[in-house]
Amino acid sequence: DITTRKALMLSIVYVLAMAVAYTIAGVLAGLFGANLQAALQTPWVIYSFSGVFVALAFSMFGFYELKIPDSIVNKVSSTGGKKGGFIGVAIMGFLSALIVGPCVAAPLAGALIYIGQTGDAILGGAALFVMSLGMGVPLLLIGLGAGKFMPKPGGWMEQVTKVFGIVMLAI
């Protein structure tokens, strides 16, 4: 029971909060990233990223479920009640950038390495802000449609999840 305008506004808040998180990462990479490329190529970092992908794949196969605890979700959902949930949506957008980080690891690492080599914090912030806005375009389109064009959940989703689990292991 949400209007298209409100769905779009909530989507914009979500995407902008996500963009803020990536902008912070870009600025930090510009300020401190002189040795970022070398740090990302050390064996323990590579093994750590590999471990994250394997852990995410096992989750996709149903061995366990990764989710934010319900108590935190309920608290964030109820935040900003009179403002239509905009604060809660902003918090979830910011946190989603951290959670989705491993899924965009390759392009994000490439961008961070480039930013680290330039040492330019303004370029870093601007580049990752624009990158995150690009990532948010599909979310804005979904918000514009107020979720009307989303596929209906069903058994087909289990098969898609398993395919993505195989992709995670391949990576």
Side-chain angles (χ1 to χ4, degrees):
D1 199 27
I2 188 170
T3 65
T4 303
R5 183 176 188 271
K6 183 167 183 178
L8 180 61
M9 294 305 295
L10 289 170
S11 297
I12 290 170
V13 168
Y14 184 91
V15 169
L16 287 176
M18 184 178 69
V20 167
Y22 282 111
T23 302
I24 292 170
V27 169
L28 292 175
L31 292 174
F32 305 112
N35 296 323
L36 189 60
Q37 182 176 7
L40 288 176
Q41 292 180 0
T42 59
W44 72 271
V45 171
I46 293 171
Y47 291 137
S48 297
F49 274 105
S50 298
V52 167
F53 280 111
V54 170
L56 291 172
F58 284 154
S59 173
M60 297 291 228
F61 293 131
F63 287 105
Y64 52 86
E65 185 175 329
L66 291 175
K67 67 178 198 167
I68 298 173
D70 290 336
S71 60
I72 294 174
V73 172
N74 291 336
K75 185 168 184 139
V76 170
S77 296
S78 65
T79 302
K82 290 188 178 178
K83 296 186 174 166
F86 288 112
I87 295 170
V89 168
I91 292 169
M92 291 305 287
F94 190 88
L95 291 176
S96 77
L98 304 176
I99 294 167
V100 173
C103 298
V104 294
L108 183 60
L112 290 175
I113 288 170
Y114 175 76
I115 293 164
Q117 288 176 342
T118 65
D120 188 350
I122 294 173
L123 171 68
L128 287 191
F129 182 79
V130 171
M131 182 188 89
S132 60
L133 289 180
M135 289 173 31
V137 167
L139 301 173
L140 292 173
L141 293 175
I142 291 169
L144 186 61
K148 294 175 188 151
F149 306 112
M150 293 297 294
K152 302 293 180 223
W156 66 274
M157 292 177 77
E158 292 295 323
Q159 300 305 318
V160 170
T161 301
K162 288 183 172 113
V163 167
F164 279 112
I166 293 169
V167 170
M168 290 279 193
L169 285 177
I171 289 174

